[in-house]
Amino acid sequence: MKKSEAPKEQRCCLVTREKGRPEELIRFVVSPDEMVVPDLTERLPGRGMWLQASQNVLHTAIQRRVFSRAAQCQVKIPDNLLSMIVDGLKFRIKDGLGLARRAGQITYGFVKVREKISQNNVGLIIQATDGSEDEKKRLLSGAKYLPVVTIFTSEELGKFFGRDHIVHAAIHAGPFTDRLLNDSKRLAGFIN
């Protein structure tokens, strides 16, 4: 007899009151000097305060003083809270790409990525923001649905692999896919 999997814990957004999985939300804690800090790794000590990963929700939380009510004390909101979140999520994505690269779980270059797609061994496609739109479409033509992340320029992607420019990369299906996809979705809520 199989044990059924326990449902993942859900957290409630302080602003919208909607529930979601922790990897879809942003956790905040109050530091010892009463400053609100984003806890993107969900490891900092203290009572967590959760918000949907959205710039509008963050602004609403700040305007309505939601953090002070949740912490039951006056808290300070850093002026650069939004950039702390965006920079932190970009760092997590870069770190995840680095881990996947060192584990041999990334393929890059149009031909090699296209080959991996044809083998159905791709969990996530990374494409440069400044790459040719026609080439991006051509890469994915005829493939089953694959999630695509477009955050970095070709020069930024190239730095991950020690190259000048890279437009296409594929993360092999596996453990890195979920982390990178979740962080990318959270980041998308804070950037256009």
Side-chain angles (χ1 to χ4, degrees):
M1 197 163 74
K2 286 186 178 180
K3 288 184 180 179
S4 62
E5 288 186 27
K8 289 192 174 186
E9 290 185 40
Q10 296 207 336
R11 302 288 186 254
C12 185
C13 173
L14 293 173
V15 173
T16 65
R17 308 308 293 169
E18 293 177 14
K19 290 188 177 190
R21 296 187 345 251
E23 57 269 14
E24 298 169 341
L25 304 170
I26 303 290
R27 181 178 189 257
F28 296 87
V29 295
V30 178
S31 69
D33 60 347
E34 298 176 345
M35 187 74 70
V36 172
V37 179
D39 179 17
L40 302 175
T41 60
E42 300 165 17
R43 293 184 182 153
L44 292 176
R47 182 177 181 275
M49 299 176 285
W50 299 82
L51 291 181
Q52 282 184 351
S54 163
Q55 188 171 350
N56 292 336
V57 171
L58 178 65
H59 287 308
T60 302
I62 293 169
Q63 289 173 345
R64 293 184 187 169
R65 303 180 196 277
V66 170
F67 292 116
S68 291
R69 281 199 311 266
Q72 298 177 345
C73 68
Q74 273 310 98
V75 297
K76 301 173 204 158
I77 308 290
D79 293 335
N80 63 342
L81 185 60
L82 177 61
S83 65
M84 288 170 68
I85 295 168
V86 170
D87 292 345
L89 287 170
K90 281 186 176 181
F91 177 81
R92 279 182 54 84
I93 293 168
K94 288 178 185 179
D95 186 52
L97 287 172
L99 289 170
R101 181 182 59 83
R102 288 187 295 280
Q105 296 296 305
I106 291 186
T107 302
Y108 58 89
F110 185 89
V111 174
K112 290 181 181 178
V113 170
R114 187 77 179 146
E115 185 179 308
K116 280 290 180 190
I117 290 172
S118 68
Q119 295 170 358
N120 290 326
N121 189 22
V122 175
L124 178 66
I125 298 289
I126 310 273
Q127 293 184 325
T129 57
D130 55 347
S132 162
E133 292 301 319
D134 290 339
E135 190 173 295
K136 289 180 191 179
K137 289 177 187 174
R138 194 164 53 101
L139 178 80
L140 298 170
S141 66
K144 64 175 184 162
Y145 169 77
L146 288 170
V148 178
V149 172
T150 309
I151 297 172
F152 303 107
T153 65
S154 60
E155 190 173 334
E156 290 172 318
L157 280 176
K159 286 179 183 176
F160 299 143
F161 303 102
R163 305 272 186 224
D164 290 335
H165 300 281
I166 289 180
V167 177
H168 310 285
I171 311 293
H172 304 182
F176 296 106
T177 305
D178 291 338
R179 174 185 165 177
L180 290 167
L181 190 56
N182 288 333
D183 285 342
S184 298
K185 284 179 182 177
R186 293 194 303 171
L187 180 60
F190 293 101
I191 61 176
N192 295 330

